[in-house]
Amino acid sequence: MALRHAVLAALLDGELSGYQLTKAFDLGMANFWHAQPQQLYAELNRLEKDGFIAGREVLQETRPTKRLFHVTDAGLAELERFTAASAKPSFIRDDLLVKVQAADHVDTATLIAQLAERAAVARARIDLFTDLLRTMRGERTEEDFLRHGARIGPYLTCARGLAFEEGNRDWCERAIGILRVRSGAGLPPGNPQSG
């Protein structure tokens, strides 16, 4: 997936400024696509040049003029083309997993601390995603929202983010428990033969 498709998808809910787009990425899309603000602004320029989005200037009295962008028909056609193409499987690439792979030969206390830190981040993101999902569906039950809600795409991707972070939290907590038991059992690093 190219950044352009993520930007086009983010603009489907209506006109956004570059600043609003960065906030949309931080909240709604960060669970599946990360981009720096400067990358987003550069992509907006490319998309506008390619005719996939159009921008308009909005004069503000007490602030500088801002530009709002929306998806054009050509942009919708590009999203349709992208959606029709088969999706490539995703792969995990995570420094923490490399460190845990070496758990039998490195300082377990350091790994436990890093796993606890990752679990805390996951818990915070779980709270964020839970709040976002509640806000999206309003007073509706999830079942009712999924059947009759106006736009379920953002809801479904947010739900995937929630499941991802719940998996991260659960795995980190399990790994911490295992490493604590093994280090308490007197198994020295580099001696995995016991057990």
Side-chain angles (χ1 to χ4, degrees), residues 144-171:
D144 181 57
F145 179 80
L146 291 175
R147 286 186 183 196
H148 308 292
R151 285 220 40 224
I152 62 163
Y155 191 90
L156 291 173
T157 57
C158 190
R160 175 63 182 113
L162 175 62
F164 178 76
E165 293 301 347
E166 288 172 338
N168 281 339
R169 176 203 58 204
D170 295 349
W171 177 80

Side-chain angles (χ1 to χ4, degrees), residues 2 12 42 45-46 66 88 109 133 144 146 149:
L12 289 174
N45 288 333
R46 283 189 288 273
K66 71 177 176 179
K88 296 176 184 175
L133 289 167
D144 181 57
L146 291 175

Side-chain angles (χ1 to χ4, degrees), residues 38-181:
Q38 61 269 25
Q39 292 174 295
L40 293 172
Y41 282 103
E43 192 59 45
L44 284 171
N45 288 333
R46 283 189 288 273
L47 286 167
E48 188 172 27
K49 182 181 174 189
D50 293 343
F52 293 146
I53 64 172
R56 67 180 180 92
E57 292 190 353
V58 176
L59 297 175
Q60 303 182 102
E61 287 188 28
T62 59
R63 294 182 171 171
T65 300
K66 71 177 176 179
R67 286 184 56 75
L68 294 177
F69 299 93
H70 67 273
V71 178
T72 63
D73 289 342
L76 288 172
E78 174 60 19
L79 271 176
E80 186 69 36
R81 185 202 61 74
F82 170 73
T83 303
S86 60
K88 296 176 184 175
S90 59
F91 299 96
I92 298 174
R93 185 175 174 176
D94 188 334
D95 290 349
L96 184 57
L97 290 177
V98 175
K99 294 174 183 185
V100 172
Q101 177 75 18
D104 300 307
H105 302 280
V106 298
D107 179 23
T108 305
T110 301
L111 283 179
I112 289 171
Q114 291 182 19
L115 286 161
E117 189 176 301
R118 179 72 61 87
V121 169
R123 283 190 289 276
R125 292 183 59 81
I126 288 167
D127 291 343
L128 173 69
F129 286 130
T130 301
D131 290 344
L132 281 171
L133 289 167
R134 190 177 304 117
T135 299
M136 284 185 216
R137 70 178 177 265
E139 297 298 319
R140 293 177 163 183
T141 65
E142 183 172 68
E143 182 179 326
D144 181 57
F145 179 80
L146 291 175
R147 286 186 183 196
H148 308 292
R151 285 220 40 224
I152 62 163
Y155 191 90
L156 291 173
T157 57
C158 190
R160 175 63 182 113
L162 175 62
F164 178 76
E165 293 301 347
E166 288 172 338
N168 281 339
R169 176 203 58 204
D170 295 349
W171 177 80
C172 287
E173 290 173 355
R174 181 170 187 242
I176 288 168
I178 291 166
L179 291 173
R180 282 187 176 147
V181 166

